[in-house]
């Protein structure tokens, strides 16, 4: 007796796969077990198949988040691997890259191996781990890059800090290049931040001007330029200013191997008026203004920025201390990323570029050596895909029981949003399936 294979037919969906250039409405997608068995119009429904249909819906390769904070191991009260990856799946992400700034940071092969073993027992979608660039993110002593790669590092980043100077950055870029791994930086020059904050420790820095971002970007590009031919690749995380985007565009035109990302909140939100914002509007780098937002969105559409990354940074429910500068920085962003992007001007027309920045774009940043499967929809390939309704309206706060992340620190908590994930499949397995509405038959 054989175990029956799960068979699902997605009926009459728009199949959108930016990596192959496919964009076809009215298609069916047949999924048998872990694989895509057929894509085409009017496919017959195999006996016993589940029929998934939802008018106006879109199927894309599974989203890949290049930048999130899972907190666990270290601070499971803020997020666990289980809740963080459930939030990812609800947001359409079929895989995530987790940064290394845990408590303590993931800055040696043993800690990385332990985190990966921990993930294996809990994660609802695959977690790809970044290792730190320097011990303790302190910018001085580089990590054991070879050992971290052997332990499974998908890339390297001191995200949360940018204490490393040009000498350390060059060392890590060279070492990571030997393994085809990218080095990602949180570009906010700490010398510049310390200067405008009259010294003090990073945690107390109140003012984070855009000048600190462009200073870090220029300095890192200078290091990269001197490494031509070594295979070194640099990635600029969560860019927030028009000036930094312009520098990235110029560097790419020059042929430098540099990529960049932007968060949904930096694309969608301006800094609130009147004084420094507290939670949940407080993020590093800070929200800027309309001119910066427009430049960031234009850079997604023209491919200068390869990735939209959530920088999902959950904190416990009581996030506001009343003192903006004591509030923890960060937005719990996995579950709202798609809807926040869909509210951008012209998003419907730019859907192929937007989906590219959530799928094949971030994969390109990591590079093939990182061992992350390339997001794609192809017959015979893995059924790892995201199915969503770009028109459905919802409000996170009205569905508190369905929110998966432990962090509710988001300015979108009570916002009416448009665009909702219906299901996220990982190798044919539903990591998330929104409860079907009455209009949505699930069985034939
Ligand atoms: Zn960061």
């Amino acid at each position: 007796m054989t175990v029956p294979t799960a068979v699902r037919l997605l009926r009459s969906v728009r199949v959108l796969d930016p990596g192959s250039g496919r964009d076809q409405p009215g298609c069916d997608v047949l999924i048998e077990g872990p694989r895509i068995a057929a894509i085409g119009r009017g496919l017959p429904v195999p006996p016993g198949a589940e029929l998934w249909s939802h008018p106006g819906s879109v199927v894309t390769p599974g989203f890949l988040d290049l930048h999130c904070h899972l907190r666990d191991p270290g601070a499971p009260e803020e997020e666990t691997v289980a809740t963080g990856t459930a939030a990812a799946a609800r947001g359409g992400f079929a895989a995530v890259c987790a940064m290394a700034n845990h408590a303590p940071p993931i800055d040696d092969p043993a800690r990385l191996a332990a985190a990966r073993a921990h993930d294996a027992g809990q994660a609802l979608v695959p977690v790809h781990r970044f290792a730190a660039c320097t011990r303790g993110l302190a910018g001085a002593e580089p990590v054991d890059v070879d050992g971290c790669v052997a332990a499974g590092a998908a890339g390297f980043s001191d995200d949360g800090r940018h204490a490393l100077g040009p000498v350390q950055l060059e060392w890590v870029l060279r070492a990571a290049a030997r393994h085809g791994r990218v080095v990602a930086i949180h570009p906010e020059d700490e010398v510049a931040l310390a200067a405008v904050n009259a010294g003090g420790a990073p945690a107390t820095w109140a003012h984070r001007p855009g000048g600190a971002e462009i200073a870090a970007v220029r300095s890192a590009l200078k290091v990269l330029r001197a490494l031509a031919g070594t295979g070194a690749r640099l990635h600029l995380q969560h860019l927030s200013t028009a000036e930094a985007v312009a520098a990235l565009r110029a560097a790419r035109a020059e042929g430098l191997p540099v990529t960049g990302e932007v968060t949904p909140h930096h694309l969608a939100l301006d800094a609130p008026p009147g004084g420094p914002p507290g939670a949940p509007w407080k993020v590093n780098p800070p929200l800027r203004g309309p001119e910066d937002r427009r430049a960031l969105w234009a850079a997604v559409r023209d491919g200068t920025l390869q990735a939209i990354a959530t920088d999902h940074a959950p904190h416990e429910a009581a996030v506001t201390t009343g003192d903006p500068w004591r509030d923890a920085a960060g937005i719990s962003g996995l579950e709202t990323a798609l809807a926040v992007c869909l509210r951008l001007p012209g998003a419907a027309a730019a859907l192929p570029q937007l989906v590219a920045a959530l799928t094949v774009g971030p994969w390109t940043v990591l590079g093939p050596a990182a061992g992350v499967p390339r997001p794609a929809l192809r017959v015979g390939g893995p059924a790892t895909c995201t199915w969503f309704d770009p028109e459905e309206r919802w409000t996170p706060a009205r569905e508190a029981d369905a929110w998966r992340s432990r962090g509710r620190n988001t300015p979108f908590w009570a916002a009416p949003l448009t665009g909702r994930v219906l299901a996220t499949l990982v190798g044919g397995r539903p990591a998330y399936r929104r409860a079907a509405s009455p209009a949505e038959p699930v069985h034939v």
Side-chain angles (χ1 to χ4, degrees):
M1 192 163 157
T2 53
V3 178
T5 304
V7 179
R8 299 190 171 91
L9 186 80
L10 277 81
R11 172 67 89 205
S12 192
V13 293
R14 176 177 173 187
V15 174
L16 177 53
D17 179 9
S20 69
R22 185 173 202 154
D23 186 358
Q24 265 180 306
C27 260
D28 298 344
V29 179
L30 178 65
I31 294 166
E32 288 179 0
R35 310 222 154 257
I36 295 174
I39 302 175
R41 290 214 164 94
L43 297 178
V45 185
E50 270 183 41
L51 188 65
W52 286 8
S53 119
H54 187 101
S57 60
V58 182
V59 171
T60 68
F63 298 168
L64 167 62
D65 189 16
L66 203 50
H67 183 159
C68 76
H69 300 274
L70 289 182
R71 311 296 191 207
D72 179 21
E77 68 281 7
E78 296 194 325
E79 192 79 288
T80 66
V81 171
T83 59
T85 54
R90 185 169 180 248
F93 293 94
V96 297
C97 296
M99 294 299 113
N101 63 336
H102 287 243
I106 297 176
D107 60 1
D108 70 30
R111 281 193 189 140
L112 181 60
R116 294 190 73 224
H118 181 65
D119 296 342
Q122 285 201 55
L124 206 56
V125 304
V127 175
H128 304 288
R129 287 276 173 185
F130 271 53
C133 294
T134 61
R135 299 302 301 268
L137 315 178
E141 184 193 345
V143 300
D144 171 3
V145 166
D146 297 351
C148 287
V149 168
F156 291 84
S157 176
D158 273 354
D159 181 58
R161 293 286 310 272
H162 186 65
L164 80 178
V167 173
Q168 291 87 357
L169 179 60
E170 178 181 337
W171 194 96
V172 177
L173 278 164
R174 279 184 190 278
R178 290 200 296 272
H179 303 281
R181 297 300 195 276
V182 71
V183 174
I185 61 165
H186 169 133
E188 284 194 291
D189 185 282
E190 294 201 354
V191 176
L193 293 178
V196 294
N197 287 282
T204 65
W205 289 340
H207 305 289
R208 306 183 78 105
E213 182 173 84
I214 188 63
V217 167
R218 288 211 179 104
S219 165
L221 289 174
K222 195 170 161 194
V223 172
L224 187 65
R225 196 171 284 118
L227 292 175
T230 61
R233 288 185 296 119
L234 175 72
H235 178 66
L236 306 173
Q237 296 178 293
H238 48 52
L239 291 185
S240 67
T241 60
E243 207 177 2
V245 164
L248 171 63
R249 186 177 282 115
R252 289 179 59 80
E254 192 188 319
L256 289 183
V258 57
T259 51
E261 73 184 33
V262 60
T263 71
H265 44 274
H266 285 104
L267 285 169
L269 296 177
D270 293 330
W281 287 270
K282 182 181 176 185
V283 282
N284 295 335
L287 301 171
R288 312 280 183 197
E291 198 183 312
D292 294 305
R293 270 195 302 107
R294 277 193 289 273
L296 291 162
W297 180 218
V300 170
R301 283 175 292 168
D302 74 13
T304 297
L305 288 167
Q306 289 66 40
I308 296 173
T310 67
D311 196 4
H312 175 74
H315 295 291
E316 288 174 87
V319 284
T320 310
T321 62
D323 174 357
W325 299 118
R326 287 180 53 224
D327 283 354
I331 289 175
S332 177
L334 281 165
E335 290 168 78
T336 56
L338 174 67
V340 171
C341 291
L342 286 172
R343 50 159 58 192
L344 299 170
L351 196 61
Q353 291 90 331
L354 207 157
V355 169
L358 290 164
T359 56
V360 69
W363 180 86
T364 309
V365 171
L366 294 170
V372 176
R374 186 176 191 269
L377 294 177
R378 62 180 177 83
V379 174
T384 297
C385 43
T386 301
W387 182 35
F388 63 90
D389 177 350
E391 306 284 343
E392 187 168 328
R393 287 157 195 265
W394 63 294
T395 302
R398 299 224 187 108
E399 307 177 49
D401 60 334
W403 188 258
R404 302 297 201 273
S405 171
R406 286 208 168 156
R408 294 181 179 183
N409 48 312
T410 165
F412 301 106
W413 184 247
L417 298 174
T418 302
R420 183 145 189 204
V421 173
L422 301 168
T424 303
L425 296 178
V426 178
R429 170 181 58 83
Y432 172 75
R433 172 77 169 108
R434 200 207 60 174
S437 66
E440 199 178 312
V442 289
H443 287 281
V444 281

